[in-house]
Amino acid sequence: MGEKVVAGGFDLADRQRYRRKLRRCLQALDRLFAEKRFDRPRNLMGLEIELNLAGADGLPRMMNTQVLERIASRDFQTELGMFNLEVNIAPHRLGGHVLSRLAEELRTGLGYAQRKAEELGAGIVMIGILPTLTRQDVDLANISDVDRYMLLNDQMVAARGEDFALEIDGVERLRCTAASITPEAACTSVQLHLQVTPARFADVWNAAQAVAAVQVAVGANSPFLFGRELWRETRPPLFQQATDTRPPELQAQGVRPRTWFGERWVESAYELFEENLRYFPALLPLCDDEDPLRVLDDGGVPSLQELVLHNGTVYRWNRPVYGVMDGIPHLRVENRVLPAGPTVDDVIANAAFYYGLVRALAEDSRPVWKRTPFADAAANFDAACRYGIDAELRWPRPGRGGGVTAVPAVKLVRDELLPLAAAGLDAWGIEPADRDRSLGIIEERCRRRVNGASWQVETFHRAQEAGLDRDAALTATARRYRELALRGDPVHTWSVRFPGPYPQRTR
């Protein structure tokens, strides 16, 4: 990639060569499936969390390079914006006390990173979108100093051929444009990985799609963007628009966006990889020297680097992942719908709810995706992003009568989905104390109708009622959020009150 950056981009031959290579990769993937070469079930999960850097004043800090140098750990990596970091947790086997172990690892790692960031006048904040971010903060000048980010930006800007339009109608309205993809950096999320066999992939992916709306409803944490109150989970519309390489004419023709919920239930992982090739032009046509079919002929396992790279530029909310570990290929479902934060306990609760629910639904004799139109699942996701914990979702009626009905998300979770999640965690072999603690957090959010987004919104309005102007209220909300998140208690326990007095924000 470095050589291509120096050389100044790609030519037509690069793209034709890459397309041919992608087809060979897809053929090789099909052979791997047919030859049953994939890893045996190992119940492995993984976790990534994108983070914001902000000072005690609640304002973003553009210093990820310096903070990473202080942290000096391969667990922490750069992200798109200079105010972003990412922490990666090594894969764990689902079972036993894994939830409490994950919580302890995260507290230790994030606590260390927080101390190092504080040495530079910054801090670590887990939040979907930092309320104090301004349009200027996500200018191209604040993109991380990493070649791959600038290369990706250049290719997406060239593919679109004009500025990106950010238009979100929520509680308030946002209208602006961006000359780069850097507004995407405002979105910080949690990615949950689950290794699956090819035979189980479709059931797990379909289950993950079905519950994506529920995850967002109980976990929403991104109600503000550039000073406007928008959706309770504003990340999805922002991410879609900030990565949308389609000019308006292609949008009008129904061309699919690169950030995509999907349009149907699937029967295999192959379908999703094949769709990626069929629908989405390559953004980074970088070819290596591997001939994947020849590697297979010689008894080896191909890396399928081109397929993996292309897959990484199609931003499905539940993404198929191909990888090779110790010479053995494996498949994962990467769940990307959740915002970061607010606390470690909240992140682990969200993860437990997801892993338990997906296990239970994937093994249900009457799968929810057989009883729900895919269009309802997509509409549910949109509703959950807009309304968060107050969303109403369409879900199959209980019993065998059939049909779909509208139900408040909190009622659906408490009456039907929490028991399913508990059964799923039992099937994974999770210790009952870990199970009950994590699912208890989800239940309390539903009982109190509180999540990160609702807390931010109410705190912001309390600050305005106390006489603060909009910017000062957002700053006060961010500062109070940071203070409470550092204490570590889950968000449903946070008090809501005027968080000041704090001084007016200055730049």
Side-chain angles (χ1 to χ4, degrees):
M1 182 179 288
E3 293 175 357
K4 283 290 180 185
V5 174
V6 173
F10 308 107
D11 57 29
L12 294 178
D14 288 323
R15 298 187 182 279
Q16 293 169 339
R17 188 181 309 112
Y18 189 79
R19 184 178 291 113
R20 291 192 297 269
K21 189 69 177 294
L22 277 176
R23 289 171 180 161
R24 290 183 72 80
C25 286
L26 193 62
Q27 291 173 340
L29 181 67
D30 196 28
R31 278 183 56 180
L32 285 165
F33 287 138
E35 296 171 7
K36 302 185 186 307
R37 299 282 296 277
F38 283 83
D39 198 4
R40 66 190 186 282
R42 293 201 292 167
N43 296 351
L44 290 179
M45 58 80 67
L47 177 66
E48 305 168 59
I49 307 175
E50 296 164 350
L51 309 165
N52 283 277
L53 291 173
D57 56 6
L59 303 182
R61 294 290 189 270
M62 307 299 169
M63 56 189 344
N64 60 0
T65 299
Q66 302 94 309
V67 171
L68 284 170
E69 288 174 354
R70 290 289 181 102
I71 294 173
S73 167
R74 286 184 294 181
D75 292 341
F76 288 83
Q77 301 175 1
T78 188
E79 256 296 335
L80 180 63
M82 288 183 177
F83 56 93
N84 299 144
L85 301 177
E86 181 176 88
V87 61
N88 297 285
I89 301 300
H92 284 63
R93 188 180 301 276
L94 277 164
H97 290 286
V98 66
L99 299 177
S100 53
R101 288 201 307 272
L102 283 169
E104 185 59 31
E105 287 182 33
L106 278 173
R107 288 192 187 95
T108 300
L110 293 174
Y112 173 76
Q114 173 71 21
R115 292 191 295 275
K116 292 301 178 181
E118 286 176 345
E119 293 174 3
L120 297 169
I124 305 294
V125 181
M126 287 196 297
I127 193 169
I129 298 175
L130 195 64
T132 50
L133 276 177
T134 67
R135 177 65 192 82
Q136 292 70 39
D137 291 326
V138 293
D139 189 80
L140 187 59
N142 290 327
I143 195 170
S144 291
D145 187 19
V146 178
D147 288 341
R148 70 178 182 274
Y149 295 136
M150 187 58 73
L151 179 59
L152 181 63
N153 175 76
D154 292 346
Q155 294 302 304
M156 295 189 86
V157 169
R160 183 173 174 88
E162 59 188 76
D163 285 354
F164 295 88
L166 305 181
E167 300 181 354
I168 304 174
D169 290 330
V171 176
E172 298 176 305
R173 174 179 293 184
L174 176 71
R175 293 286 188 276
C176 64
T177 60
S180 73
I181 65 169
T182 319
E184 175 197 330
C187 307
T188 45
S189 64
V190 172
Q191 288 112 48
L192 302 173
H193 291 255
L194 179 61
Q195 184 176 327
V196 296
T197 62
R200 297 297 291 160
F201 179 92
D203 288 345
V204 172
W205 188 85
N206 288 335
Q209 289 283 90
V211 303
V214 180
Q215 289 180 270
V216 171
V218 299
N221 197 26
S222 314
F224 298 107
L225 176 64
F226 304 156
R228 296 289 183 267
E229 182 184 344
L230 300 173
W231 294 12
R232 290 304 184 252
E233 188 50 49
T234 305
R235 287 170 39 258
L238 171 60
F239 202 103
Q240 177 175 323
Q241 294 177 21
T243 60
D244 198 345
T245 55
R246 308 169 302 163
E249 294 80 6
L250 292 184
Q251 295 180 35
Q253 293 172 37
V255 173
R256 296 159 180 84
R258 297 193 82 96
T259 298
W260 195 35
F261 187 79
E263 60 193 17
R264 62 190 176 92
W265 307 115
V266 303
E267 296 183 0
S268 72
Y270 180 88
E271 296 174 33
L272 298 177
F273 289 105
E274 189 275 334
E275 277 186 350
N276 288 353
L277 272 64
R278 180 154 39 101
Y279 294 149
F280 302 103
L283 289 176
L284 303 173
L286 300 165
C287 292
D288 67 14
D289 296 329
E290 177 187 80
D291 182 336
L293 296 176
R294 182 171 298 172
V295 171
L296 280 174
D297 290 340
D298 293 341
V301 174
S303 63
L304 306 184
Q305 283 299 315
E306 293 80 10
L307 189 75
V308 170
L309 178 60
H310 186 57
N311 187 56
T313 64
V314 179
Y315 304 102
R316 298 177 184 271
W317 294 110
N318 284 291
R319 175 191 276 165
V321 178
Y322 170 88
V324 180
M325 181 66 66
D326 299 327
I328 302 174
H330 68 266
L331 281 176
R332 303 194 305 275
V333 173
E334 180 189 15
N335 177 261
R336 299 161 40 83
V337 306
L338 286 165
T343 68
V344 168
D345 280 346
D346 288 304
V347 169
I348 297 302
N350 290 340
F353 185 52
Y354 169 75
Y355 286 120
L357 197 49
V358 164
R359 173 71 182 258
L361 292 178
E363 296 180 351
D364 195 332
S365 60
R366 300 176 64 238
V368 64
W369 57 93
K370 299 287 188 181
R371 299 181 286 142
T372 307
F374 190 89
D376 281 349
N380 282 346
F381 185 68
D382 184 83
C385 292
R386 287 178 180 272
Y387 305 114
I389 206 156
D390 295 320
E392 190 171 83
L393 308 178
R394 292 184 60 76
W395 196 261
R397 288 188 178 90
R400 298 190 172 273
V404 175
T405 188
V407 58
V410 292
K411 177 176 173 56
L412 176 64
V413 172
R414 295 183 70 186
D415 292 353
E416 185 173 347
L417 300 186
L418 276 172
L420 282 174
L425 292 177
D426 288 344
W428 288 120
I430 300 297
E431 284 290 330
D434 278 14
R435 175 201 65 202
D436 293 346
R437 172 168 173 72
S438 291
L439 296 186
I441 290 172
I442 303 298
E443 183 174 18
E444 282 299 302
R445 283 190 215 154
C446 291
R447 188 177 70 83
R448 304 184 190 195
R449 303 181 80 94
V450 171
N451 59 14
S454 67
W455 183 90
Q456 288 186 61
V457 167
E458 188 167 354
T459 301
F460 167 73
H461 287 294
R462 291 279 186 92
Q464 283 193 312
E465 291 166 4
L468 273 65
D469 66 26
R470 176 178 291 262
D471 279 355
L474 288 167
T475 302
T477 299
R479 291 182 63 164
R480 181 64 175 162
Y481 181 104
R482 184 179 184 270
E483 292 168 3
L484 293 173
L486 284 172
R487 295 180 191 176
D489 296 324
V491 70
H492 71 265
T493 68
W494 293 7
S495 63
V496 177
R497 58 179 176 79
F498 169 52
Y502 291 134
Q504 299 287 312
R505 68 186 273 170
T506 58
R507 286 283 179 180

